[in-house]
Amino acid sequence: MMAERIGRLDMLEQQVLQVASVEGETFTAEVIARVLNQEPQAVLRLLSGELDRRHRLVAAQSIREQSGQRLSIYRFQHILFQRYVHGNLDVVERASLHQAVASALKNLYATGEAGISGQLAHHFQEAGTSSEAAGYLVQAGDRAAEVCAYREAIGHYQQAQQSYKQTLGEQWDPVERATLEGKIGEAYYRCAETGKAQAHLLQALGYLGHKFPASSTGVRLAIMRELFRQLGLRIRAAVFGQPMAKVATPVAQETIRLCRRLGWILGLLDLERALLIILWSANFAEREGYTAGMALGWSGL
């Protein structure tokens, strides 16, 4: 029955439905027009006329203003129509149309693409463009975190991690890798899962080349070491003067940011490890000439 109804359509009508099925159960007439290189008014007439009133396959839903232009939103009359059309696309057609739909959405939402970051990530993933998908997954995670949807944010961040690993492998920039790992740690902290939060933040610092002892004895020895380093820094400053402040490197900035997050968690769980993080980060910032980092480090005390 469904195959028969869709089989009655002409070539352009079928193409319109194919693009629509790729965008989803709800879709945008202007996206279809861009993908098929058609005039928007022609696509609107086709959707509201033949495909709605005559064949009862789609229905108009709403009008949306975006970036100073009007977007016409339609939906499939039944989710089964969308699934049938989408399922009948072969692998190559599907990937190509997902890429085209993603590009059209990016252009239409030029100043507001953050609002559809999850949608763009999905289309780029389906198109096989993992690197672009990963960037939008991070945006989607950030957006979810802003509205306190931390579980959703973790899911987006972890998907982004997988995409980056597949695409970049060992070429993945350690600062970017640490930043994403830190975001996962912070989201877990907001979910009150402090154990997981601590593990992810320590892993993030590890990507930047910083390892901390796991045993209590190791922590105490490390505290003594950092105290002696701080004493040495004070003696050097008294004799030679305080070194000139430098422009902080991205590694230094991310290191201090991660230490500050970790310090908040450890301050509630393990005061010895919290003290180690405070001393280590303050000493690290002073050696780097990162004065703002020193202030952040000592503020944890």
Side-chain angles (χ1 to χ4, degrees), residues 50-69:
E50 293 296 307
L51 295 175
D52 182 356
R53 298 189 187 97
R54 182 178 176 188
H55 296 289
R56 302 295 181 188
L57 293 170
V58 304
Q61 181 165 301
S62 63
I63 299 294
R64 183 182 302 159
E65 290 289 332
Q66 178 62 45
S67 303
Q69 57 189 328

mmCIF file of all heavy atoms in Angstrom, residues 50-69:
data_model
loop_
_atom_site.group_PDB
_atom_site.id
_atom_site.type_symbol
_atom_site.label_atom_id
_atom_site.label_comp_id
_atom_site.label_asym_id
_atom_site.label_seq_id
_atom_site.Cartn_x
_atom_site.Cartn_y
_atom_site.Cartn_z
ATOM 1 N N GLU A 50 0.444 18.836 -4.231
ATOM 2 C CA GLU A 50 0.441 17.417 -4.588
ATOM 3 C C GLU A 50 0.656 16.498 -3.387
ATOM 4 O O GLU A 50 -0.079 15.539 -3.175
ATOM 5 C CB GLU A 50 1.519 17.153 -5.649
ATOM 6 C CG GLU A 50 1.252 17.808 -6.991
ATOM 7 C CD GLU A 50 0.002 17.239 -7.636
ATOM 8 O OE1 GLU A 50 -0.098 16.009 -7.770
ATOM 9 O OE2 GLU A 50 -0.898 18.036 -7.984
ATOM 10 N N LEU A 51 1.688 16.793 -2.592
ATOM 11 C CA LEU A 51 2.077 15.846 -1.542
ATOM 12 C C LEU A 51 1.198 15.946 -0.299
ATOM 13 O O LEU A 51 1.111 14.981 0.466
ATOM 14 C CB LEU A 51 3.547 16.070 -1.173
ATOM 15 C CG LEU A 51 4.535 15.755 -2.297
ATOM 16 C CD1 LEU A 51 5.960 16.109 -1.894
ATOM 17 C CD2 LEU A 51 4.465 14.282 -2.704
ATOM 18 N N ASP A 52 0.543 17.089 -0.099
ATOM 19 C CA ASP A 52 -0.353 17.220 1.055
ATOM 20 C C ASP A 52 -1.796 16.954 0.626
ATOM 21 O O ASP A 52 -2.373 15.923 0.962
ATOM 22 C CB ASP A 52 -0.206 18.623 1.656
ATOM 23 C CG ASP A 52 -1.075 18.822 2.894
ATOM 24 O OD1 ASP A 52 -1.852 17.914 3.243
ATOM 25 O OD2 ASP A 52 -0.983 19.893 3.525
ATOM 26 N N ARG A 53 -2.372 17.858 -0.136
ATOM 27 C CA ARG A 53 -3.813 17.766 -0.417
ATOM 28 C C ARG A 53 -4.171 16.546 -1.277
ATOM 29 O O ARG A 53 -5.231 15.946 -1.078
ATOM 30 C CB ARG A 53 -4.283 19.045 -1.101
ATOM 31 C CG ARG A 53 -4.103 20.295 -0.229
ATOM 32 C CD ARG A 53 -4.765 21.519 -0.825
ATOM 33 N NE ARG A 53 -4.428 22.708 -0.060
ATOM 34 C CZ ARG A 53 -3.441 23.551 -0.392
ATOM 35 N NH1 ARG A 53 -2.734 23.343 -1.488
ATOM 36 N NH2 ARG A 53 -3.187 24.608 0.361
ATOM 37 N N ARG A 54 -3.304 16.221 -2.220
ATOM 38 C CA ARG A 54 -3.657 15.129 -3.134
ATOM 39 C C ARG A 54 -3.250 13.762 -2.579
ATOM 40 O O ARG A 54 -4.069 12.837 -2.529
ATOM 41 C CB ARG A 54 -3.000 15.354 -4.494
ATOM 42 C CG ARG A 54 -3.357 14.279 -5.509
ATOM 43 C CD ARG A 54 -2.736 14.557 -6.846
ATOM 44 N NE ARG A 54 -3.006 13.480 -7.786
ATOM 45 C CZ ARG A 54 -2.458 13.371 -8.985
ATOM 46 N NH1 ARG A 54 -1.608 14.306 -9.415
ATOM 47 N NH2 ARG A 54 -2.749 12.362 -9.773
ATOM 48 N N HIS A 55 -1.990 13.630 -2.171
ATOM 49 C CA HIS A 55 -1.501 12.304 -1.765
ATOM 50 C C HIS A 55 -1.522 12.068 -0.260
ATOM 51 O O HIS A 55 -1.342 10.931 0.187
ATOM 52 C CB HIS A 55 -0.065 12.109 -2.284
ATOM 53 C CG HIS A 55 0.035 12.104 -3.774
ATOM 54 N ND1 HIS A 55 -0.445 11.075 -4.548
ATOM 55 C CD2 HIS A 55 0.570 13.023 -4.639
ATOM 56 C CE1 HIS A 55 -0.215 11.336 -5.827
ATOM 57 N NE2 HIS A 55 0.394 12.522 -5.920
ATOM 58 N N ARG A 56 -1.731 13.119 0.539
ATOM 59 C CA ARG A 56 -1.813 12.996 1.995
ATOM 60 C C ARG A 56 -0.568 12.337 2.602
ATOM 61 O O ARG A 56 -0.665 11.528 3.521
ATOM 62 C CB ARG A 56 -3.056 12.181 2.404
ATOM 63 C CG ARG A 56 -4.373 12.751 1.917
ATOM 64 C CD ARG A 56 -4.647 14.088 2.559
ATOM 65 N NE ARG A 56 -5.927 14.673 2.138
ATOM 66 C CZ ARG A 56 -6.322 15.883 2.442
ATOM 67 N NH1 ARG A 56 -5.548 16.667 3.169
ATOM 68 N NH2 ARG A 56 -7.486 16.342 2.024
ATOM 69 N N LEU A 57 0.590 12.731 2.096
ATOM 70 C CA LEU A 57 1.835 12.177 2.613
ATOM 71 C C LEU A 57 2.520 13.118 3.604
ATOM 72 O O LEU A 57 3.235 12.669 4.507
ATOM 73 C CB LEU A 57 2.804 11.867 1.461
ATOM 74 C CG LEU A 57 2.375 10.742 0.520
ATOM 75 C CD1 LEU A 57 3.285 10.708 -0.709
ATOM 76 C CD2 LEU A 57 2.402 9.399 1.243
ATOM 77 N N VAL A 58 2.327 14.422 3.429
ATOM 78 C CA VAL A 58 2.950 15.409 4.316
ATOM 79 C C VAL A 58 1.891 16.421 4.732
ATOM 80 O O VAL A 58 0.789 16.458 4.174
ATOM 81 C CB VAL A 58 4.135 16.130 3.623
ATOM 82 C CG1 VAL A 58 5.168 15.133 3.116
ATOM 83 C CG2 VAL A 58 3.643 17.021 2.485
ATOM 84 N N ALA A 59 2.260 17.267 5.727
ATOM 85 C CA ALA A 59 1.346 18.324 6.183
ATOM 86 C C ALA A 59 2.160 19.520 6.631
ATOM 87 O O ALA A 59 3.252 19.369 7.196
ATOM 88 C CB ALA A 59 0.477 17.821 7.327
ATOM 89 N N ALA A 60 1.647 20.712 6.361
ATOM 90 C CA ALA A 60 2.308 21.931 6.835
ATOM 91 C C ALA A 60 2.215 22.001 8.353
ATOM 92 O O ALA A 60 1.189 21.643 8.940
ATOM 93 C CB ALA A 60 1.637 23.152 6.206
ATOM 94 N N GLN A 61 3.289 22.459 8.991
ATOM 95 C CA GLN A 61 3.298 22.512 10.456
ATOM 96 C C GLN A 61 3.443 23.924 11.008
ATOM 97 O O GLN A 61 2.688 24.348 11.867
ATOM 98 C CB GLN A 61 4.436 21.630 11.005
ATOM 99 C CG GLN A 61 4.490 21.603 12.528
ATOM 100 C CD GLN A 61 5.355 20.481 13.039
ATOM 101 O OE1 GLN A 61 5.095 19.312 12.757
ATOM 102 N NE2 GLN A 61 6.392 20.836 13.788
ATOM 103 N N SER A 62 4.442 24.697 10.536
ATOM 104 C CA SER A 62 4.651 26.024 11.110
ATOM 105 C C SER A 62 5.569 26.845 10.218
ATOM 106 O O SER A 62 6.175 26.339 9.274
ATOM 107 C CB SER A 62 5.258 25.925 12.516
ATOM 108 O OG SER A 62 6.536 25.316 12.459
ATOM 109 N N ILE A 63 5.656 28.131 10.568
ATOM 110 C CA ILE A 63 6.595 29.054 9.938
ATOM 111 C C ILE A 63 7.590 29.500 11.004
ATOM 112 O O ILE A 63 7.207 29.766 12.148
ATOM 113 C CB ILE A 63 5.874 30.289 9.357
ATOM 114 C CG1 ILE A 63 4.875 29.861 8.279
ATOM 115 C CG2 ILE A 63 6.870 31.300 8.806
ATOM 116 C CD1 ILE A 63 5.515 29.272 7.048
ATOM 117 N N ARG A 64 8.870 29.571 10.651
ATOM 118 C CA ARG A 64 9.903 29.967 11.604
ATOM 119 C C ARG A 64 10.766 31.059 10.987
ATOM 120 O O ARG A 64 11.101 31.003 9.805
ATOM 121 C CB ARG A 64 10.759 28.747 11.951
ATOM 122 C CG ARG A 64 11.840 28.981 12.980
ATOM 123 C CD ARG A 64 12.639 27.711 13.200
ATOM 124 N NE ARG A 64 11.794 26.610 13.616
ATOM 125 C CZ ARG A 64 12.135 25.322 13.498
ATOM 126 N NH1 ARG A 64 13.290 25.000 12.941
ATOM 127 N NH2 ARG A 64 11.315 24.379 13.911
ATOM 128 N N GLU A 65 11.093 32.059 11.798
ATOM 129 C CA GLU A 65 12.012 33.111 11.367
ATOM 130 C C GLU A 65 13.425 32.756 11.808
ATOM 131 O O GLU A 65 13.647 32.406 12.963
ATOM 132 C CB GLU A 65 11.611 34.449 11.980
ATOM 133 C CG GLU A 65 10.325 35.035 11.431
ATOM 134 C CD GLU A 65 10.466 35.538 10.004
ATOM 135 O OE1 GLU A 65 11.584 35.925 9.606
ATOM 136 O OE2 GLU A 65 9.450 35.540 9.275
ATOM 137 N N GLN A 66 14.371 32.822 10.893
ATOM 138 C CA GLN A 66 15.751 32.515 11.226
ATOM 139 C C GLN A 66 16.691 33.348 10.359
ATOM 140 O O GLN A 66 16.622 33.287 9.139
ATOM 141 C CB GLN A 66 16.033 31.014 11.002
ATOM 142 C CG GLN A 66 17.459 30.590 11.278
ATOM 143 C CD GLN A 66 17.846 30.827 12.730
ATOM 144 O OE1 GLN A 66 17.090 30.520 13.642
ATOM 145 N NE2 GLN A 66 19.029 31.380 12.947
ATOM 146 N N SER A 67 17.572 34.102 11.042
ATOM 147 C CA SER A 67 18.567 34.915 10.342
ATOM 148 C C SER A 67 17.925 35.825 9.301
ATOM 149 O O SER A 67 18.447 35.987 8.193
ATOM 150 C CB SER A 67 19.635 34.018 9.688
ATOM 151 O OG SER A 67 20.259 33.194 10.639
ATOM 152 N N GLY A 68 16.758 36.380 9.627
ATOM 153 C CA GLY A 68 16.097 37.320 8.732
ATOM 154 C C GLY A 68 15.371 36.697 7.580
ATOM 155 O O GLY A 68 14.950 37.399 6.651
ATOM 156 N N GLN A 69 15.200 35.378 7.584
ATOM 157 C CA GLN A 69 14.461 34.739 6.503
ATOM 158 C C GLN A 69 13.403 33.803 7.080
ATOM 159 O O GLN A 69 13.481 33.378 8.232
ATOM 160 C CB GLN A 69 15.411 33.967 5.581
ATOM 161 C CG GLN A 69 16.242 32.917 6.278
ATOM 162 C CD GLN A 69 17.312 32.353 5.372
ATOM 163 O OE1 GLN A 69 17.128 32.259 4.160
ATOM 164 N NE2 GLN A 69 18.433 31.974 5.944
#
